[in-house]
Amino acid sequence: MQTASFTGFIKALFYMIAFYYIFRFLAKLFLPLIVKKVVQKAGESMQKQQKHEEDSTWKKTQSKDDVTYNSVNTKNPRETKKVGDYVDYEEID
């Protein structure tokens, strides 16, 4: 069975601090590259999705050759539902 020693504690503390600084250094080097690549891939995915959406919309528009124009609705817009009479109130001094 091993016992804890002061030198073992100092070594462990040194390794933890060294790992922390090495990790920070590597993160500063590689994290911007990784983020740039992820953002670029997301942009490409969004563009591909937008292109697919435009293509499907264009196909739907092209397949509709029959256009119906109802002139009755344009001359007389739909009436709103009348709930009650309008009462004009006057202020009494």
Side-chain angles (χ1 to χ4, degrees), residues 33-47:
L33 298 174
I34 293 170
V35 169
K36 182 179 178 183
K37 192 63 102 171
V38 167
V39 169
Q40 187 178 26
K41 243 185 179 182
E44 289 174 2
S45 173
M46 290 175 75
Q47 285 178 351

Side-chain angles (χ1 to χ4, degrees), residues 25-64:
F25 176 73
L26 292 176
K28 283 183 182 180
L29 286 177
F30 295 114
L31 198 60
L33 298 174
I34 293 170
V35 169
K36 182 179 178 183
K37 192 63 102 171
V38 167
V39 169
Q40 187 178 26
K41 243 185 179 182
E44 289 174 2
S45 173
M46 290 175 75
Q47 285 178 351
K48 188 183 290 185
Q49 186 179 7
Q50 182 69 25
K51 178 77 172 154
H52 176 70
E53 191 66 33
E54 287 176 0
D55 290 344
S56 64
T57 304
W58 179 249
K59 287 178 184 175
K60 287 179 185 175
T61 307
Q62 282 183 336
S63 65
K64 286 186 175 181

